[in-house]
Structures are given as structure tokens and as C-alpha cells.
Amino acid sequence: MISFFKNFAKGVLYVLVLPGLIVGLVVYAVVALFVFVYLAIKGLVLFFMGRSLYEDLPEDKEAKRRLGILPPEPVAQPQAPTEIKVEKQEQVLPQQDSDSNNSKDPFYVPEYLKTEEQKNETLPVEEEDNFDVVKESKPEPEPQPEPRPEPRPIIINQEDKKAEEEPIFEQKTPQNTNIFSINDIDDIDDSNDDNTGSGIDIDFN
Amino acid sequence: MLVFAVLSENDKRLIFALLLLIILVFVLIGYIGFIVTRIMKWQGKKMDTLVSDVVVTRTITKKIPFFNYARKKNWRLFFKQSWVAVIILLVGALTLVIRDAVMRDFSYNIFDYNVTGFNTILFLWDFSGVYQRQGASILLNWPVLINEPHVSPEAWTSYVFMSCMIVGGGWYLIAIQSLIARTIRMFQLSTSVFEKSLDGFNQNKQLQPMNNPAQQNNNTEANQQ
């Protein structure tokens, strides 16, 4: 019953306020019509400019950035001239054929002293590009210089000592002397007269 | 009371019925107003959706920038909701103008109920002879039916015009109502979002556990349990 009378009172109130409400509605409708015309013209102009009337406002863009929807704005930094330097990496590779680099290679074995096995050793050959086959490009490993231990020369006699002191490429190798490396120690056989073992002959004369 | 004594029983019953009808009409108006208010509150919630991102991320922290931003978003949404209605209104108006210009007849009556108006398809009554007073007595007559619905070919322009006005006008008024509802909500939010209220805040209550270590330990033990 109370709600019935409440609604009756509200009805009387709305009837009394209704003329003011209607006037307010008509005024708002007329003002909205003018704003509509303004927005329509603005929308047309923006359309021909390639933009939209409904594009995000600056506040919307900032809010989307803070929410993580849009990426952050790139910070404008002054572009300084950069120098391009090409660094040459020293590749320490075993050189077996070139005599010019043998001065620093303590394990160098000249061609005429190589055994047949050493002569037959071949470097890995790079495969030729086959354009009919699509290959996956593997990233080339960075060449890392291998730490090489300092060689321990084995001095047998005075002549060898002199040879060890002089650079190798300047050494005059007599025909009867054989130069061997520390890796060949295991191949040394006591019975050299029989030419058995690894095939390295040592002449102590 | 003298007038009431002169009235017959039927007249009294009629007056009571009329009063009851008036009360019911006011109650009905009250219910309609209640429904309209609820609908406008629901329409105003759209403003919350429009401004929530900006408010939640604290992009805008002051009342006036919030007001300007919300106003722009409000008008943009009104344009989006009402452009179809305005086009319908324009189509109806252009139909009538073009017809008058082509036929060179600007005296075309769109409310005529005989030949050329929209009222040709409506029931119409004449209420002029309903109330008659003869001395101290009041005579009430039934209204006279003056038109029954019939379709008139000459009235096609009126049919198109009035249909467009009713549909477009109703649609536009609903968009205006939404605009007003969002504007009211905008005013409410501009106050409530940035309002700083110290109701229920007591500085001493907050500092008390920090000043008393024993009480603080008791509180931590209670929290662990």
C-alpha cells in the first residue's frame, strides 16, 4: 500500500515537472542537432584526410600504452656518427703447406719428412653449393684460438741445441739429420738399425 | 456538500470512478517514470565503459581534463548512435519537399483524414459534442466516429513522411535520452572519482600497532593462527 502511494506521489511529481522536462529535451535535441552537423562536417573532412572521426584520443593512446596494448613510444635520440670498424680476427689454423708461417709453429713437419700417412691426410673439403637443393644455413662457429702449449724441445746433442735456438726456416738441414717432434717420442724404437717402429730414423752421428 | 446532495447516485458513482481512474493514471505515470529512470541509469553506465581505461591507468587525475575528455567521448558516441536516425528524418523530409516541388503544390495537408493525409489510415472521433451543460445538469455523449481506416493513393507521400518522422524521431529521441543519461553520469563520476574522503580514517588507529611492539606481535600471531 505504501509503495502504491509512493508511486502515486511520484506520478504527481512527474506530471508537474513534465513541461520542464519536455522543454529541456527539446532544447537538448536542437543543440545536439547543431553538434551533429558539426561532427558530420568534421567527419567528412577527416575522411578525406585519411583519418577517422572515431580514432583514439591522446588520452586513449596513453592509457593503452600503460595497459600494454600499444607498444611504448620510441624515445627520440640524437643520431651520432658511428665509425664502422672491421676487426680482423687472427685465425690460428694449422698451416701444413706454407713455409712462410712455419717460423712460429713448433710442430711443423716439412714435406720431405712427412710419412705416407701424413701426406695422405687431407683437409675437409667444403661442399659445393647445389642450387637445386635447399639447405639450411647454419651459423658459422666463431673461430676460437686454441691455446697451444709451449713445446718442450728435446735436445739430443749440441747440434740440436743450436738448431733449437735458430729459427726453423733458417735452419740448414743436413741430409743425414732427421728432425723430430715431441709427439714422435713414442715412435722411437731402440732397434733403429732394423728400421722398425714408426719409420723415423734417428742418426746420432 | 449542497452540490454533492443534488447529484444522483449514478453521478456520484461516476465521479468516484473518475477519481479512481485519475489516481491510477498518476500511479501509471509514476511507474513509467520509474522505468525511464532505471533505463537512463543503465544507459549512463556506458559512460563508465568509455572512461574506465583512462581513469584506471591514472592517465587523467584531475576533474576538468576528465570532464573535457568525457564530453568528447559522449558526443562521439551520440553521433555514432544517431546518424541513422538523422538520415531517416532527412529522407522523409526530402520526400515531401521533392513531391511538393515536382507537383508545384505546397498546400499539401499531411494530416488530412479524407484524401491526402496520414490520418486516412487511423480511427478518428469527434469529441466536440461529448460534454453538454443544460442548466444544473451535465449531459455526456459518446464521441462520434468520423473516419475509419482506409488507404488513399494520393496520400502515399504523407505515409512515407510520417513513417520516417515517427521512426527517425523516436530513434533520435532515444539517442538524446542516452546522451542526457551519460551527461548526468559524467557529472557524477567527475565528482566521485576524484573525491578524497576521510570518512572512517583515523590516524591514531593506523599508528597504534606501529608504536606498540607487543600489540604488533600479538597481531602477527593472530594472523598466523
Side-chain angles (χ1 to χ4, degrees):
Chain A
M1 199 67 184
I2 296 172
S3 65
F4 181 83
F5 283 114
K6 267 188 181 177
N7 283 325
F8 171 75
K10 280 183 184 176
V12 173
L13 188 67
Y14 289 138
V15 167
L16 291 173
V17 179
L18 196 62
L21 289 176
I22 290 173
V23 168
L25 193 69
V26 169
V27 167
Y28 228 102
V30 171
V31 170
L33 200 60
F34 284 109
V35 176
F36 181 91
V37 171
Y38 164 74
L39 286 174
I41 294 170
K42 186 179 175 183
L44 274 173
V45 170
L46 287 174
F47 174 76
F48 287 111
M49 284 170 63
R51 291 163 59 185
S52 168
L53 184 65
Y54 305 114
E55 63 186 8
D56 288 340
L57 294 169
E59 293 89 349
D60 291 327
K61 289 178 185 171
E62 180 59 32
K64 283 182 180 176
R65 273 191 216 101
R66 292 187 184 194
L67 288 171
I69 297 170
L70 282 177
E73 273 187 354
V75 179
Q77 292 181 355
Q79 293 182 356
T82 56
E83 295 180 359
I84 301 171
K85 295 181 181 178
V86 178
E87 295 181 357
K88 293 183 179 179
Q89 294 181 353
E90 294 182 356
Q91 296 183 356
V92 181
L93 297 173
Q95 299 288 337
Q96 296 192 4
D97 296 327
S98 171
D99 292 331
S100 60
N101 293 328
N102 294 331
S103 59
K104 298 181 181 178
D105 187 9
F107 301 101
Y108 169 72
V109 177
E111 197 65 32
Y112 61 91
L113 289 177
K114 284 185 181 178
T115 61
E116 288 183 3
E117 289 178 0
Q118 287 178 340
K119 286 180 184 176
N120 291 330
E121 280 180 3
T122 54
L123 292 171
V125 179
E126 292 180 359
E127 295 179 357
E128 293 181 356
D129 288 334
N130 187 357
F131 294 102
D132 295 334
V133 177
V134 177
K135 296 180 183 177
E136 293 180 357
S137 60
K138 296 181 182 178
E140 294 180 358
E142 292 181 359
Q144 296 179 357
E146 297 178 358
R148 293 182 177 277
E150 290 184 358
R152 291 182 297 161
I154 299 175
I155 303 170
I156 303 298
N157 49 23
Q158 292 298 324
E159 290 180 357
D160 290 338
K161 187 176 180 180
K162 288 181 185 175
E164 189 265 336
E165 288 174 356
E166 293 175 357
I168 296 174
F169 67 90
E170 292 178 356
Q171 291 178 1
K172 296 179 181 179
T173 56
Q175 292 180 357
N176 294 329
T177 58
N178 295 324
I179 299 172
F180 66 95
S181 65
I182 194 169
N183 293 328
D184 298 329
I185 292 175
D186 294 334
D187 296 331
I188 297 172
D189 198 358
D190 292 333
S191 56
N192 293 331
D193 298 335
D194 297 330
N195 287 330
T196 57
S198 62
I200 298 174
D201 297 327
I202 301 172
D203 190 358
F204 293 97
N205 294 329
Chain B
M1 287 299 292
L2 185 65
V3 174
F4 197 72
V6 171
L7 295 171
S8 63
E9 288 295 321
N10 284 336
D11 293 339
K12 288 176 188 175
R13 286 173 192 163
L14 190 63
I15 288 169
F16 282 127
L18 281 173
L19 277 173
L20 198 61
L21 190 64
I22 290 168
I23 290 170
L24 283 174
V25 165
F26 279 117
V27 170
L28 192 64
I29 291 171
Y31 273 122
I32 292 171
F34 171 73
I35 290 169
V36 169
T37 309
R38 288 293 290 269
I39 289 172
M40 286 184 73
K41 279 185 182 175
W42 173 73
Q43 287 170 334
K45 290 289 181 187
K46 187 69 178 174
M47 178 54 74
D48 292 44
T49 309
L50 291 175
V51 302
S52 65
D53 286 346
V54 160
V55 168
V56 163
T57 56
R58 285 170 168 76
T59 305
I60 294 177
T61 55
K62 291 184 181 176
K63 187 174 176 178
I64 293 174
F66 169 83
F67 203 82
N68 292 333
Y69 169 79
R71 186 170 44 85
K72 286 180 195 171
K73 299 286 279 189
N74 195 13
W75 281 113
R76 281 185 174 193
L77 186 60
F78 165 74
F79 182 82
K80 207 175 188 179
Q81 289 178 340
S82 62
W83 70 273
V84 178
V86 171
I87 285 175
I88 293 172
L89 288 169
L90 277 174
V91 165
L94 281 173
T95 306
L96 186 65
V97 168
I98 290 170
R99 185 261 169 208
D100 286 351
V102 168
M103 302 298 284
R104 294 182 184 180
D105 178 20
F106 291 91
S107 62
Y108 189 78
N109 186 5
I110 55 175
F111 298 110
D112 182 35
Y113 61 88
N114 285 322
V115 180
T116 60
F118 182 75
N119 292 334
T120 52
I121 57 173
L122 300 175
F123 282 102
L124 289 175
W125 292 271
D126 184 12
F127 290 89
S128 59
V130 170
Y131 175 80
Q132 285 181 356
R133 186 173 179 179
Q134 290 180 354
S137 62
I138 300 170
L139 288 177
L140 295 175
N141 298 314
W142 288 107
V144 178
L145 183 68
I146 57 174
N147 181 59
E148 286 182 354
H150 66 280
V151 176
S152 173
E154 290 87 2
W156 70 270
T157 311
S158 300
Y159 299 153
V160 170
F161 175 79
M162 286 306 292
S163 302
C164 290
M165 286 296 126
I166 290 168
V167 171
W171 195 330
Y172 184 73
L173 284 175
I174 290 172
I176 292 290
Q177 181 198 359
S178 298
L179 177 71
I180 293 171
R182 288 194 301 271
T183 306
I184 294 170
R185 182 64 180 159
M186 182 173 70
F187 279 105
Q188 290 173 351
L189 286 175
S190 64
T191 312
S192 65
V193 165
F194 305 105
E195 188 181 45
K196 294 180 182 178
S197 174
L198 294 174
D199 292 340
F201 176 78
N202 188 333
Q203 209 176 48
N204 294 323
K205 277 185 186 176
Q206 288 209 347
L207 288 176
Q208 216 167 18
M210 293 168 63
N211 291 336
N212 191 348
Q215 192 171 2
Q216 190 178 9
N217 291 332
N218 291 336
N219 288 336
T220 53
E221 287 174 359
N223 290 335
Q224 287 175 359
Q225 290 178 357

